[in-house]
Amino acid sequence: MRRLALLVALRVSGLLLCSSTLCACLEKCEQGVVGQRLQLPCFYQRAFGNFSMEWKRDSEVVLRSVWQVDKRVDLWRKPSVTMAADAPRTGNFSLELLHTDPTEHNTTYGLFIHTHNITVLVCSVCVRMAASFSGPQLMRRASVVPGGEVVFSCRSSGGFPEPSVSWLIDDSLKPPEDSVETIVMTLPDSHLYNVTSHLTLNISMQSNVSCTIGNEALNETMTATSYGVKISPVVSRASEAMWIFSTALCVVVGVMVAVGVAYQIHLDRVSKRKKLEYQESHLHRGRRWRHLYMDETDELKSEPKETDV
């Protein structure tokens, strides 16, 4: 009876130990970043003879290996994973994911060792994935109606998982929930997210409005702020003085341009007059020389010819 009770106690304690170990394995998760490598730790120190092992992604086998007295005789694996070749000697059976994407999110990898017709779940690791969002772009579109509602648009893209979006007015006030509309969509051919949030509110143009994109998985928050236009008497006087100065400058420039144009017209007229005078003088000289030539010709023609008679 005592031996039976001891055997039962040992089996119960063994079951409890295995159960607690399995729970601890299932509760352990590794945080990965999209596009980067991820190590799934697994350490199991025990003397092995002949055995085989499998790493599974949920129910899919991603790596299988057969060992004989600490020598690997067979190996099959997917190109996206790898494991150390001396695992039985070092006890490091960790699996490395060479490239990660959002489809790995909320998956579970388990290492199973088969020996002496017994299968043991050695390690179980769940995977969480994340990717950083781009810096938010905040745009402010004023109402076409004076005193009407103002629309703010906040956009960010390329992140994972779905982000949180929050708005603040003047760094302290939260807008009413019905004034915010947020749309989250996946990018084409990707599981990454785009987020667009609109805030529609009747708000003073002098108010500051902030939009914050939060990625809890990576503990990241990014904020963009639209600053209002604050007008003071000093600024108003400066603006008025600047307007007067600009007007005077425009008048001066206009007068200078008009004077320049008038002077250019005067130069053109003088040049044209001199050109005409030159042409007339040249023409008069031509006529004079032509008359002299014709007179000399007539005189020669009128002289009598001498004969031998």
Side-chain angles (χ1 to χ4, degrees), residues 25-216:
C25 290
L26 292 177
E27 290 176 354
K28 184 177 181 180
C29 293
E30 293 296 322
Q31 180 67 61
V33 177
V34 173
Q36 298 183 9
R37 294 188 174 207
L38 178 62
Q39 190 86 10
L40 305 183
C42 180
F43 297 91
Y44 187 65
Q45 294 287 351
R46 182 174 176 180
F48 290 101
N50 299 335
F51 73 99
S52 63
M53 50 155 289
E54 290 180 340
W55 267 106
K56 289 185 177 181
R57 179 183 184 269
D58 293 333
S59 59
E60 175 191 12
V61 177
V62 296
L63 185 146
R64 179 184 291 114
S65 185
V66 178
W67 300 77
Q68 290 181 357
V69 192
D70 293 344
K71 179 182 179 181
R72 189 167 64 191
V73 295
D74 185 29
L75 173 67
W76 174 89
R77 67 179 179 87
K78 282 194 168 187
S80 58
V81 301
T82 187
M83 190 187 71
D86 56 352
R89 182 175 59 82
T90 63
N92 183 5
F93 289 87
S94 300
L95 183 71
E96 185 176 14
L97 309 183
L98 302 179
H99 182 80
T100 54
D101 59 61
T103 59
E104 297 288 352
H105 189 59
N106 285 337
T107 57
T108 300
Y109 283 80
L111 173 63
F112 296 85
I113 291 182
H114 312 281
T115 178
H116 304 300
N117 296 325
I118 298 176
T119 300
V120 179
L121 174 61
V122 176
C123 297
S124 183
V125 185
C126 64
V127 176
R128 300 284 186 265
M129 294 304 303
S132 297
F133 281 86
S134 64
Q137 296 180 345
L138 181 59
M139 294 182 295
R140 180 177 191 151
R141 188 168 67 247
S143 173
V144 295
V145 180
E149 292 181 333
V150 182
V151 179
F152 296 86
S153 297
C154 182
R155 293 183 175 89
S156 184
S157 62
F160 189 88
E162 291 191 28
S164 62
V165 182
S166 59
W167 292 86
L168 281 180
I169 302 172
D170 292 331
D171 301 325
S172 59
L173 298 177
K174 291 185 178 181
E177 292 184 1
D178 58 357
S179 63
V180 177
E181 180 184 9
T182 300
I183 302 173
V184 180
M185 300 178 62
T186 55
L187 291 168
D189 302 324
S190 170
H191 291 78
L192 302 177
Y193 289 102
N194 271 353
V195 57
T196 302
S197 185
H198 299 285
L199 172 65
T200 305
L201 203 61
N202 194 331
I203 190 174
S204 169
M205 292 297 293
Q206 286 77 43
S207 298
N208 299 334
V209 175
S210 299
C211 167
T212 299
I213 305 294
N215 190 333
E216 185 178 353

